[in-house]
Amino acid sequence: MTGSADERRGGMASPASHPLLAALRTAIGQEFVLAGGDLPAFELDWRQRCRGKALAVARPADTAQVAEIMRICARHGVGVVPQGGNTGLVGGSVPDDSGSEILLSTLRMSKIRQVDTANLTLTAEAGCVLQSVQDAAMRHGLLFPLSLGAEGSCTIGGNLATNAGGTQVLRYGNARELCLGLEVVTAGGEIWSGLTGLRKDNTGYDLRDLFIGSEGTLGIITAATLKLFPQPAAVTTAMAGCGSLDAAVRLLELARIRTGPALTGFEAMNAASLALVAKHFPQLRQPLPAMPWIVLVELSDVEGEAHARDALEALLGEAIEGGLAADAAVAENLAQAHHMWHLRESITLAQAQEGFHIKHDVALPASRLTAFCADADALLARAFPQARVVNFGHLGDGNLHYNVQAPAGGDSAEWVRRHEEDVTGAVYDTVAAHGGSISAEHGIGAIKRARLARHKHPLEIALMRSLKQALDPGNLLNPGRLLPPPI
Amino acid sequence: MTGSADERRGGMASPASHPLLAALRTAIGQEFVLAGGDLPAFELDWRQRCRGKALAVARPADTAQVAEIMRICARHGVGVVPQGGNTGLVGGSVPDDSGSEILLSTLRMSKIRQVDTANLTLTAEAGCVLQSVQDAAMRHGLLFPLSLGAEGSCTIGGNLATNAGGTQVLRYGNARELCLGLEVVTAGGEIWSGLTGLRKDNTGYDLRDLFIGSEGTLGIITAATLKLFPQPAAVTTAMAGCGSLDAAVRLLELARIRTGPALTGFEAMNAASLALVAKHFPQLRQPLPAMPWIVLVELSDVEGEAHARDALEALLGEAIEGGLAADAAVAENLAQAHHMWHLRESITLAQAQEGFHIKHDVALPASRLTAFCADADALLARAFPQARVVNFGHLGDGNLHYNVQAPAGGDSAEWVRRHEEDVTGAVYDTVAAHGGSISAEHGIGAIKRARLARHKHPLEIALMRSLKQALDPGNLLNPGRLLPPPI
């Protein structure tokens, strides 16, 4: 904490008359500095687990205003919390409860600045909703492949600040790999114009990747130049039933060999996941009978529908023949393909319907997935025999949402309150034992900071702190997020 | 510069008796600390443009010894220059001429620590020669796709420290994109063990990408976990003759749409490039008659030879029909394919045979390639009507080696000495005007530092300096490379 901490913590004039607010109103306009009654929508996170209290919400129109806000806040020693669509799952984009932070919403900065079809790039402002970026690419016959559940409301700035993942990572990479250049406002309120559309540029340190995934703690991303791809001629989807996770992993290996870069999706769902979907959404037909694991395979093809189907059927045929799958169904049309994805995406909603549960977002090397799940399953079965493991995720990236549902029938809220610490501790320790990550795609935010201290080597945390100190010496940028609390 | 600068600059005991050397000999063994007569091979760069003078060469056996060397040098305030295969083109891996730096050679650290075929990863020590990494992958039926001219002697540590590019970047990315995890020795001689094989890991700042491309100025890369891919079933190569650079760029666009991720190579060579090859290597048959531009197209296919050939022939047929190409030749077998690549790779040697010339390694957005070349060609034709532009490169990444050959017949060394500054200045200013990079894949090293100051915004340089200060406050790691000289 810096010398500004006292000021942040109160003992000041009442919020509405804070001298900072007058400066912000002058800088970006009275109506774009919200204080008092208008804030709750900004102060509560999507999962409703983190509620904070901001001094005010600032809604800048452009990068120059973001820089001006940052300079004003720096003068007053006031922390700034950047927020895009506020769909993060770790409390990284809501203010703390001190009532002293400025929440900076990027939602008014939603211009697509440029689409360069010859260079296959698109430059968007931070507040662009992901789906509107996808749509802009599509209007030019191109593809922006980042895709995740919240795409209708998350913003590209938030996607980059958290290095979002999603369903096409195994082919196109995370948000990081889809970004060529950034525009960033620094802690000092300067503007770094790094909006290059270059595929190769070895002229200095990789500032871009340092800002990406830093969760707003090193700078505020205000725009980005993104990679586009030609639209595939056809996309084909199938489901296959596997007798074990090991069989599913071996099917993934086979798919990589047989279909190479055409493989754009490989999701897996354990039986408990789809059983919950069947229970709460019985109207959703499940194309395959229950199996220990169901995988969803998607191929994108440059030649066309028939070629894609042939490849997918050949793959699944070989898998069934080789004992990796018991059964498979290829979508006959787009509606059926959407239905398969809808089943996958309904797991989260079915879990919410079922009651309180404990979420995890872990990644393992593909070679350790089976052993990790066997160990974690056994550990939980011993300690919490009534709990249910709802395990699903992006198997192609080794990313599992290894969630633990409270026992059926009881008070699920109470169970989660009582056991979350132990359950998550057991899961994370097992992840660590298998060389995995405790946050594959959601980030650290406010919620996982303490866990980070346990699972990162002190040297790595020291290196991270020295970078934070170098770029934000006043600790003004999203303070109290990502870095573990000081010891 | 730090307090150690005086010490580095001499006025000390004679090199052989420097107290540092005794400590190094104790740490890694007498025979692995070279001083005196054994050094010239380490002190001269590959292009023979930078010759330095080291206090000694240290040849550690493992990471622990690298850390020990670093701690010893830190105690003595002595700078350390890491060196792999010493094939860099910008003087980044040879000592300065002060005789006070320790050159740390990684060549004894050449173990492949692990190949995880299920996870498609390989962990190699920094001193592994790139080709031995490729071979290790191949022995497991897998592909490590980084490929460049120096692959028989460059090391993976150097490849990562400089974020090497090469011929397959348009499909697989630069060295950066092929690396999942690193092990790094810090300026303080601590070991960061970041050798993860994870595809997703959002638990903190991206230290990996900060070290990659930092040219040994932020830490010494001692090992890396790399991405592998299934071997394609077939690779097919062709050449096509284009009437203009614009036609070549449009052929690239068409190839991306028609062949998608199967497109693994797209090189371009102007007429002057291949004319030099014809002059100096007349025994190398050129499959196509001379054209303003010849492109080399490579497809990698998961299905097999026939499918790859069909796709390539269809693409080239469409290109000829659409007026993008006048002529094309598809390699009939592996020997012909190698021959096409050999022609491409002979340009550099033909340039050397022809005499002195000025090398550039620039990148442009694909949409600006044609305009850049038109402007730069015109500028040079006015100022240096006798000079010859030998322009070739990785068109698929917008990366051109826009080289300028001294006029035929004269004293080429004298011409280069007299005009290099102006020629390069004109080329780089034109690059900047078109939003390009003055170093696409070679880096900055010692040679381009001053240029960097001209072509980077002061804010970006200030950010870079603050990162250097954070991670190497004593300026011990490859001092005097990459960052522009202090003003």
Side-chain angles (χ1 to χ4, degrees):
Chain A
M1 279 291 156
T2 67
S4 61
D6 287 346
E7 190 178 349
R8 242 184 259 146
R9 289 279 153 68
M12 300 180 310
S14 79
S17 65
H18 194 292
L20 175 76
L21 298 193
L24 289 179
R25 289 185 178 117
T26 306
I28 69 170
Q30 176 93 20
E31 66 271 43
F32 299 116
V33 181
L34 316 182
D38 310 324
L39 308 189
F42 296 95
E43 290 173 331
L44 179 64
D45 83 313
W46 183 84
R47 287 177 67 191
Q48 312 203 352
R49 289 185 57 147
C50 298
R51 185 189 299 276
K53 184 84 205 84
L55 175 60
V57 174
R59 307 186 64 220
D62 56 29
T63 303
Q65 289 192 357
V66 174
E68 181 64 20
I69 291 168
M70 212 50 238
R71 289 194 296 271
I72 292 169
C73 289
R75 273 202 299 280
H76 288 82
V78 165
V80 175
V81 179
Q83 185 184 89
N86 197 20
T87 60
L89 298 173
V90 291
S93 62
V94 288
D96 66 19
D97 56 10
S98 68
S100 65
E101 295 178 331
I102 294 296
L103 193 148
L104 189 154
S105 166
T106 61
L107 290 181
R108 289 179 67 217
M109 299 170 60
S110 58
K111 278 201 262 315
I112 305 282
R113 291 194 194 159
Q114 194 196 25
V115 180
D116 183 341
T117 56
N119 195 43
L120 293 175
T121 51
L122 178 154
T123 301
E125 292 183 347
C128 278
V129 169
L130 173 53
Q131 199 173 309
S132 73
V133 175
Q134 297 166 346
D135 290 348
M138 185 100 71
R139 281 195 298 277
H140 290 84
L142 297 169
L143 171 74
F144 181 62
L146 189 67
S147 176
L148 52 147
E151 63 196 24
S153 48
C154 65
T155 62
I156 194 68
N159 296 149
L160 289 165
T162 59
N163 187 28
T167 57
Q168 303 220 43
V169 172
L170 81 169
R171 164 68 182 94
Y172 296 103
N174 294 288
R176 179 183 304 292
E177 282 84 32
L178 295 172
C179 177
L180 291 172
L182 286 182
E183 179 186 84
V184 173
V185 169
T186 67
E190 294 184 280
I191 299 167
W192 173 51
S193 298
L195 286 176
T196 163
L198 300 171
R199 256 75 183 172
K200 282 183 175 173
D201 182 17
N202 279 347
T203 57
Y205 299 151
D206 184 7
L207 298 177
R208 176 191 67 202
D209 283 310
L210 188 56
F211 289 119
I212 294 175
S214 70
E215 303 186 15
T217 65
L218 298 179
I220 300 175
I221 294 171
T222 52
T225 299
L226 306 166
K227 282 188 204 167
L228 303 179
F229 296 81
Q231 286 278 356
V235 178
T236 314
T237 310
M239 283 181 146
C242 300
S244 66
L245 180 57
D246 184 55
V249 170
R250 286 191 292 137
L251 175 52
L252 168 64
E253 239 179 287
L254 183 69
R256 284 196 205 273
I257 293 168
R258 292 291 180 261
T259 65
L263 184 68
T264 48
F266 199 100
E267 303 285 310
M269 301 155 263
N270 76 349
S273 311
L274 287 173
L276 276 193
V277 173
K279 176 174 172 188
H280 295 284
F281 306 108
Q283 75 282 15
L284 293 181
R285 197 184 63 83
Q286 301 210 6
L288 294 177
M291 284 288 284
W293 286 85
I294 300 277
V295 299
L296 190 163
V297 186
E298 183 192 86
L299 297 188
S300 297
D301 197 283
V302 292
E303 294 179 47
E305 192 60 37
H307 187 255
R309 264 193 95 74
D310 287 352
L312 196 48
E313 283 171 359
L315 169 69
L316 295 171
E318 187 177 351
I320 291 171
E321 208 161 299
L324 303 182
D327 209 353
V330 179
E332 297 289 336
N333 50 46
L334 211 59
Q336 287 188 10
H338 284 162
H339 181 76
M340 288 178 180
W341 278 104
H342 186 55
L343 282 169
R344 158 70 181 81
E345 278 150 15
S346 298
I347 299 171
T348 302
L349 293 171
Q351 282 211 270
Q353 295 278 320
E354 180 72 4
F356 285 82
H357 56 276
I358 305 167
K359 284 190 196 297
H360 304 110
D361 165 42
V362 305
L364 283 301
S367 50
R368 309 299 287 270
L369 280 164
T370 306
F372 159 74
C373 288
D375 288 356
D377 288 357
L379 200 61
L380 292 177
R382 273 198 305 276
F384 306 98
Q386 309 301 316
R388 296 161 292 170
V389 174
V390 178
N391 190 0
F392 62 98
H394 316 297
L395 200 72
D397 322 310
N399 180 188
L400 292 175
H401 298 305
Y402 187 92
N403 296 345
V404 181
Q405 194 90 31
D411 177 342
S412 66
E414 170 59 18
W415 189 89
V416 165
R417 237 188 328 273
R418 185 183 302 182
H419 298 297
E420 178 157 19
E421 194 67 23
D422 290 342
V423 167
T424 296
V427 171
Y428 286 178
D429 286 347
T430 312
V431 166
H434 289 280
S437 166
I438 64 164
S439 189
E441 55 177 11
H442 296 167
I444 300 300
I447 288 180
K448 294 190 185 174
R449 293 171 70 206
R451 295 281 177 189
L452 193 64
R454 183 178 160 84
H455 290 283
K456 283 272 185 206
H457 190 281
L459 172 63
E460 184 161 346
I461 291 177
L463 290 171
M464 286 167 52
R465 285 198 206 285
S466 71
L467 296 175
K468 172 72 171 174
Q469 176 68 25
L471 297 189
D472 181 21
N475 194 25
L476 298 169
L477 287 162
N478 219 3
R481 280 78 178 183
L482 191 142
L483 289 163
I487 302 156
Chain B
M1 280 291 152
T2 67
S4 60
D6 286 347
E7 190 179 349
R8 242 183 257 148
R9 290 279 152 70
M12 299 180 309
S14 79
S17 65
H18 194 294
L20 175 75
L21 298 192
L24 289 178
R25 289 185 178 117
T26 305
I28 69 171
Q30 176 93 18
E31 67 271 44
F32 299 117
V33 181
L34 316 182
D38 311 324
L39 307 189
F42 295 95
E43 290 174 331
L44 179 64
D45 83 313
W46 183 85
R47 287 177 68 192
Q48 311 204 349
R49 289 186 57 147
C50 299
R51 184 190 300 276
K53 184 83 206 86
L55 175 60
V57 174
R59 307 186 65 220
D62 56 29
T63 303
Q65 289 192 357
V66 174
E68 180 63 21
I69 292 168
M70 212 49 238
R71 288 194 296 270
I72 292 168
C73 289
R75 272 201 300 278
H76 288 81
V78 165
V80 175
V81 180
Q83 185 184 89
N86 196 20
T87 61
L89 298 173
V90 290
S93 62
V94 287
D96 66 19
D97 56 10
S98 68
S100 65
E101 295 178 331
I102 294 296
L103 194 149
L104 187 154
S105 166
T106 61
L107 290 181
R108 288 179 66 217
M109 300 171 60
S110 58
K111 279 202 264 313
I112 305 282
R113 291 195 195 158
Q114 193 196 25
V115 180
D116 183 341
T117 56
N119 195 43
L120 293 175
T121 51
L122 178 155
T123 300
E125 292 183 347
C128 278
V129 168
L130 173 53
Q131 199 172 308
S132 72
V133 175
Q134 296 166 347
D135 290 348
M138 185 100 69
R139 280 195 297 277
H140 289 84
L142 296 169
L143 171 75
F144 180 62
L146 188 68
S147 176
L148 52 148
E151 62 198 23
S153 46
C154 64
T155 62
I156 193 67
N159 296 147
L160 290 165
T162 60
N163 187 27
T167 56
Q168 303 220 42
V169 172
L170 81 168
R171 165 67 181 96
Y172 296 102
N174 293 289
R176 180 183 303 292
E177 282 85 32
L178 295 171
C179 178
L180 291 171
L182 286 183
E183 179 187 84
V184 173
V185 169
T186 67
E190 293 185 281
I191 299 167
W192 173 50
S193 299
L195 286 175
T196 162
L198 299 172
R199 257 75 184 173
K200 282 183 174 173
D201 181 17
N202 279 348
T203 57
Y205 299 152
D206 183 7
L207 299 177
R208 177 191 66 200
D209 283 311
L210 188 56
F211 288 119
I212 293 175
S214 72
E215 304 186 14
T217 65
L218 298 179
I220 300 176
I221 294 172
T222 52
T225 299
L226 306 166
K227 282 188 205 169
L228 304 180
F229 296 81
Q231 285 278 356
V235 178
T236 313
T237 310
M239 282 181 145
C242 300
S244 67
L245 180 57
D246 184 54
V249 171
R250 286 191 292 137
L251 174 51
L252 168 64
E253 239 179 289
L254 183 70
R256 284 195 205 274
I257 293 167
R258 292 292 180 260
T259 66
L263 185 67
T264 48
F266 200 100
E267 303 285 310
M269 299 155 265
N270 76 348
S273 311
L274 287 173
L276 275 193
V277 173
K279 177 175 171 187
H280 294 285
F281 306 107
Q283 75 283 12
L284 293 182
R285 198 184 64 82
Q286 300 211 6
L288 294 177
M291 283 289 284
W293 285 85
I294 300 278
V295 299
L296 190 164
V297 186
E298 183 193 86
L299 296 188
S300 297
D301 197 284
V302 293
E303 292 179 48
E305 193 60 38
H307 187 255
R309 264 193 96 74
D310 287 353
L312 196 48
E313 283 171 0
L315 169 69
L316 295 171
E318 187 178 352
I320 290 171
E321 208 161 299
L324 302 183
D327 209 353
V330 179
E332 295 290 337
N333 50 46
L334 211 58
Q336 287 187 12
H338 283 163
H339 181 76
M340 288 178 179
W341 278 106
H342 187 55
L343 281 169
R344 159 70 182 82
E345 278 151 17
S346 298
I347 298 171
T348 302
L349 293 171
Q351 283 211 270
Q353 295 278 321
E354 181 72 4
F356 284 81
H357 57 276
I358 304 167
K359 283 191 196 296
H360 304 111
D361 164 43
V362 306
L364 283 302
S367 50
R368 307 300 285 273
L369 281 165
T370 305
F372 159 75
C373 288
D375 288 356
D377 289 356
L379 200 61
L380 292 177
R382 273 198 306 276
F384 307 98
Q386 309 300 316
R388 297 161 291 170
V389 173
V390 177
N391 190 0
F392 62 98
H394 317 295
L395 200 72
D397 322 310
N399 180 188
L400 292 176
H401 298 305
Y402 188 92
N403 296 346
V404 180
Q405 194 90 31
D411 178 343
S412 67
E414 169 59 19
W415 189 89
V416 166
R417 238 189 326 275
R418 186 183 301 181
H419 298 298
E420 178 158 19
E421 194 67 23
D422 289 343
V423 168
T424 296
V427 171
Y428 286 178
D429 285 347
T430 312
V431 166
H434 289 281
S437 166
I438 63 164
S439 190
E441 54 179 12
H442 296 169
I444 300 301
I447 287 179
K448 294 191 185 173
R449 294 170 70 205
R451 295 279 177 191
L452 194 63
R454 183 177 159 82
H455 290 283
K456 282 273 183 205
H457 191 280
L459 172 63
E460 185 162 345
I461 291 179
L463 291 171
M464 285 168 51
R465 286 198 205 285
S466 71
L467 296 175
K468 172 73 171 173
Q469 176 67 27
L471 297 189
D472 181 21
N475 193 27
L476 298 169
L477 286 163
N478 220 3
R481 281 79 178 182
L482 191 143
L483 288 163
I487 302 155

